[in-house]
Amino acid sequence: MSENEAQIETMALESLESFATISGAAHDHLDAARAPFIQIADNSWTNPDADRNRRRIDKENAQTHRLLTEEPAIARVAVVDEDGVTTNYYICRTSPISLASKGIKLASYRSQVGRLASLPVGSDHTLFRDGQDDDPDQEARSKA
């Protein structure tokens, strides 16, 4: 096996492992959402809109988690910053869930980071990170 093939295999295995982790975490969130919920009592101090909004949010979250169990990500983007540090992002079609404790960075394709997946490989793109949107040195380069 050539060095290039070995790199591709390593990247593919890492991606598949990350997909399984994303899907498993989304499944756990979905199971937690099925737990008994508290009904908001309708009384003179509680507007019924509060209960309706909570149910709508619960339904949207469940839909997001269901989609992530079926399709954990649509792209993997490696970003190299000016210091040569590589950060891998997985891009999904829906709202991401937090996986920081597992070392996986998941971003929606609608986000600034998600936009990187639509750029040609090797493109230079300024990506503002960590709330430092006025720092021109925060430029990142996307690659395979």
Side-chain angles (χ1 to χ4, degrees), residues 11 14-15 19 73-78 88-91 117 143-144:
M11 186 181 353
E14 179 214 316
S15 296
F19 286 3
I74 57 173
R76 175 186 180 272
V77 177
N88 293 322
Y89 292 96
Y90 290 89
I91 312 303
K143 72 173 198 182

Side-chain angles (χ1 to χ4, degrees), residues 43-113:
N43 61 40
S44 60
W45 294 318
T46 307
N47 186 327
D49 290 341
D51 188 45
R52 225 174 290 127
N53 286 340
R54 185 197 48 79
R55 287 182 192 201
R56 180 186 51 79
I57 290 168
D58 288 347
K59 186 177 179 180
E60 288 173 2
N61 286 340
Q63 184 177 355
T64 291
H65 299 143
R66 203 172 299 106
L67 181 58
L68 285 173
T69 62
E70 297 168 3
E71 185 183 64
I74 57 173
R76 175 186 180 272
V77 177
V79 176
V80 180
D81 67 16
E82 288 181 338
D83 297 327
V85 177
T86 301
T87 304
N88 293 322
Y89 292 96
Y90 290 89
I91 312 303
C92 63
R93 290 186 203 273
T94 188
S95 299
I97 56 177
S98 177
L99 295 163
S101 65
K102 300 188 185 305
I104 297 174
K105 295 188 179 218
L106 186 63
S108 169
Y109 74 99
R110 296 180 206 113
S111 70
Q112 184 179 5
V113 172

Side-chain angles (χ1 to χ4, degrees), residues 1-18 76 88 90:
M1 181 183 306
S2 73
E3 183 179 334
N4 190 35
E5 289 172 331
Q7 287 176 335
I8 291 171
E9 183 176 350
T10 300
M11 186 181 353
L13 291 173
E14 179 214 316
S15 296
L16 290 173
E17 183 178 315
S18 295
R76 175 186 180 272
N88 293 322
Y90 290 89

Side-chain angles (χ1 to χ4, degrees), residues 77-89 105 116 122-130 132 135-143:
V77 177
V79 176
V80 180
D81 67 16
E82 288 181 338
D83 297 327
V85 177
T86 301
T87 304
N88 293 322
Y89 292 96
K105 295 188 179 218
L116 295 175
S123 298
D124 282 331
H125 179 73
T126 301
L127 178 65
F128 302 115
R129 298 183 295 193
D130 302 327
Q132 300 174 356
D135 186 355
D137 293 335
Q138 292 292 329
E139 186 172 309
R141 179 181 188 91
S142 67
K143 72 173 198 182

